[in-house]
Amino acid sequence: MKMSRLLAPTLREAPAEAEIASHKLLLRAGFIRKSTAGVYTYLPLGWRVIRKIEQITREEMNAAGGQEIMMPVIQPAELWQTTGRWELYGPEMFRLRDRHGRDFCLGPTHEEIITELVKGDVRSYKQLPLRLYQIQNKYRDERRPRFGLMRGREFIMMDLYSFDRSPAEARESYDRMYAAYEAIFRRCGLVFRAVEADAGAIGGSGGTHEFMALTDAGEAEVVFCPDCAYAANTEKAECAPPPALGAPSPSAPPPSLLATPGARTIEEVAALLALPPARLLKTLIYKGDGQYLAVVVRGDRTANEVKINNLLGPFLDLRLAEEDEVTALLACAPGSVGPVGLPAGARLAVDSEAAVPLPFVCGANQPDAHWRDVTPGRDFPLTLTADLRLAQAGEPCPRCGAPLRGARGIEVGQVFNLGQKYSEALAARFLNEAGKSLPFYMGCYGIGVSRTMAAVAEQYGDGDGIVWPLAIAPYHCVLIPANVKDEAVMTAAAALQAELEKAGVETVLDDRAERVGVKFKDADLIGFPLRLVISAQTLAQKTAELKLRRTGAIEFIPLTETVARIRLIMEGN
Ligand code: ATP
Ligand code: MG
């Protein structure tokens, strides 16, 4: 490939909308261009990276017994209505109607379609296990499409579905996929960790893990134990229950009203009363499917919407109530809400740490006032008490008690052991060895292919550009002739490029009539792992200059040995 022909429109500045490094770099280096919010075109360099990630994925899926298929993007509503997900998927689903008035969606995922397919064509345990996958665009009308490819509304996913005859064999499929995912992300160069996760709208009974690419730019928070294997998304991580404290003391003083003018946040009230936030209760009003819920956590903790949704829902659209909704409900602002004297019939759920019989300070459901000496169970009911908070670094590991550590991550893949949720709903059954008809035991497994490209760019970006790992770099090597007007240099460069290509080294010849400095900047920005320079000086010494993008190390190699040296570097990777 010649640089003068390659559509790689590099930009000096990142467009203002790009917030995180990978988004900026992929735009600046000419890998992607935005079409509309969350929808992108992959330019030639970007598409080459995608194809390489796809290829690695394909190889590992095939090695793990997968067979590649391609399912439709357009899916009929009826299948989704049968499993209940037409409603449950909510506003994230792109819906459309045909000319006859029939409803469809653009596939956000394919459990329904594949279960229906297998139901029609697989009858016997002899055909199992069956593992089918595809690599395809998925469509989700995300509430906040952002960070470029990280959270798109159209994105590329590899999704595999497994069908087994028993829970034990389904577990085997799960374990094989888990290992294959580790291999894929390792080959892509990612630093990652698999964590226990929540199953969300996919559901299922058998457990699920997310694969997190670790980076501070990640939207997800994880905790992991330095001493045992425990690692979980903070949404899922179990919080150890507080120590048992027995009944409240009968001599504990009754609640009394305190004036707290202008103090609205936990921090403001804590500062005013000179109390640690852990002595306060935070009461949040949520709205789910038109109902209001009050949730109480300790002042120093964060409510966990996933746990709230799992305990009290599932809701189609759980969210914090708006200020005007809270005011209409309780005649005070959200900062003054408390659990004492809520309207009869209000649903109140209390986190286990906020349910201990100790005196707390909480909002009084009136402006500029708080209660002190409120004792949970005595002054407000504990009809619903559960683990409802986000785990934090420093808390005891729920398995071994060691203090947990925290990290941020980008979810690049997730594996689910589904049990019979979809096969039961869609009556997809097979005959087992005893002639008994059973719903298939299923698993589903997704990798965000386009998100993986962004995650690698995030982890491998430096001040100058992207430092692509060789395995997924758009090209392995850029070859820069120092002076395109020097015929001897150009002839040697063309000969070297031909030789490199023949040896499987994908090479771009930067034949543009640009200054060498500009070419060097573009080479760093695009992130070719290897950079060769040929000049009149190197030719005089019969050498080429080789620079490794990752380390910056430069060496001069005899021209006759250049290809062999590069092959050696590539094989060492
Ligand atoms: P998230 O929690 O980030 O919204 P998800 O859990 O809904 O993702 P899955 O249904 O598990 O996503 O999809 C499998 C994989 O597809 C994810 O692990 C992720 O890598 C990728 N993915 C999901 N949503 C998006 C998106 N909006 N843009 C890009 N990739 C995505
Ligand atoms: Mg997921």
Side-chain angles (χ1 to χ4, degrees), residues 216-300:
D216 289 342
E219 288 185 292
E221 272 181 75
V222 302
V223 285
F224 60 94
C225 178
D227 288 359
C228 74
Y230 186 74
N233 191 317
T234 51
E235 292 177 347
K236 166 75 180 180
E238 303 148 40
C239 296
L245 290 177
S249 146
S251 60
S256 54
L257 212 52
L258 280 172
T260 49
R264 300 188 115 209
T265 63
I266 290 286
E267 292 68 34
E268 286 164 359
V269 177
L272 185 73
L273 304 178
L275 283 174
R279 299 303 327 131
L280 274 60
L281 295 179
K282 181 153 60 183
T283 306
L284 301 152
I285 304 293
Y286 281 91
K287 197 166 185 189
D289 297 353
Q291 301 172 46
Y292 288 105
L293 319 161
V295 174
V296 182
V297 294
R298 234 168 57 179
D300 58 334

Side-chain angles (χ1 to χ4, degrees), residues 121-128 429-432 440:
D121 284 302
V122 180
R123 297 280 148 79
S124 159
Y125 73 93
K126 290 181 192 147
Q127 295 165 280
L128 305 179
R429 307 172 78 89
F430 68 100
L431 290 179
N432 76 0
F440 294 101

Side-chain angles (χ1 to χ4, degrees), residues 208-458:
T208 171
H209 286 87
E210 287 167 343
F211 287 76
M212 294 289 186
L214 300 177
T215 153
D216 289 342
E219 288 185 292
E221 272 181 75
V222 302
V223 285
F224 60 94
C225 178
D227 288 359
C228 74
Y230 186 74
N233 191 317
T234 51
E235 292 177 347
K236 166 75 180 180
E238 303 148 40
C239 296
L245 290 177
S249 146
S251 60
S256 54
L257 212 52
L258 280 172
T260 49
R264 300 188 115 209
T265 63
I266 290 286
E267 292 68 34
E268 286 164 359
V269 177
L272 185 73
L273 304 178
L275 283 174
R279 299 303 327 131
L280 274 60
L281 295 179
K282 181 153 60 183
T283 306
L284 301 152
I285 304 293
Y286 281 91
K287 197 166 185 189
D289 297 353
Q291 301 172 46
Y292 288 105
L293 319 161
V295 174
V296 182
V297 294
R298 234 168 57 179
D300 58 334
R301 303 300 195 191
T302 308
N304 183 330
E305 291 187 14
V306 168
K307 290 180 184 171
I308 294 169
N309 197 44
N310 287 345
L311 181 75
L312 299 162
F315 300 106
L316 296 182
D317 201 5
L318 182 74
R319 61 171 173 82
L320 273 175
E322 303 288 345
E323 174 145 8
D324 56 340
E325 291 173 317
V326 173
T327 313
L329 196 71
L330 294 169
C332 68
S336 302
V337 173
V340 180
L342 286 174
R347 288 181 84 187
L348 173 67
V350 183
D351 177 61
S352 51
E353 266 185 341
V356 294
L358 291 175
F360 286 98
V361 168
C362 66
N365 296 328
Q366 50 179 288
D368 297 328
H370 278 74
W371 290 112
R372 79 178 323 155
D373 294 325
V374 162
T375 302
R378 184 190 69 178
D379 301 317
F380 62 87
L382 295 176
T383 23
L384 199 53
T385 301
D387 168 13
L388 291 175
R389 62 192 178 84
L390 280 180
Q392 292 171 348
E395 293 190 37
C397 168
R399 299 280 182 278
C400 78
L404 292 173
R405 296 210 184 131
R408 300 192 73 85
I410 297 165
E411 182 197 322
V412 283
Q414 188 163 9
V415 291
F416 295 87
N417 190 348
L418 292 170
Q420 294 167 310
K421 172 174 167 164
Y422 294 92
S423 49
E424 251 164 20
L426 292 161
R429 307 172 78 89
F430 68 100
L431 290 179
N432 76 0
E433 348 29 306
K436 189 168 168 223
S437 164
L438 284 175
F440 294 101
Y441 293 89
M442 289 175 57
C444 70
Y445 315 85
I447 286 184
V449 172
S450 43
R451 189 183 278 184
T452 295
M453 169 159 108
V456 173
E458 193 65 42

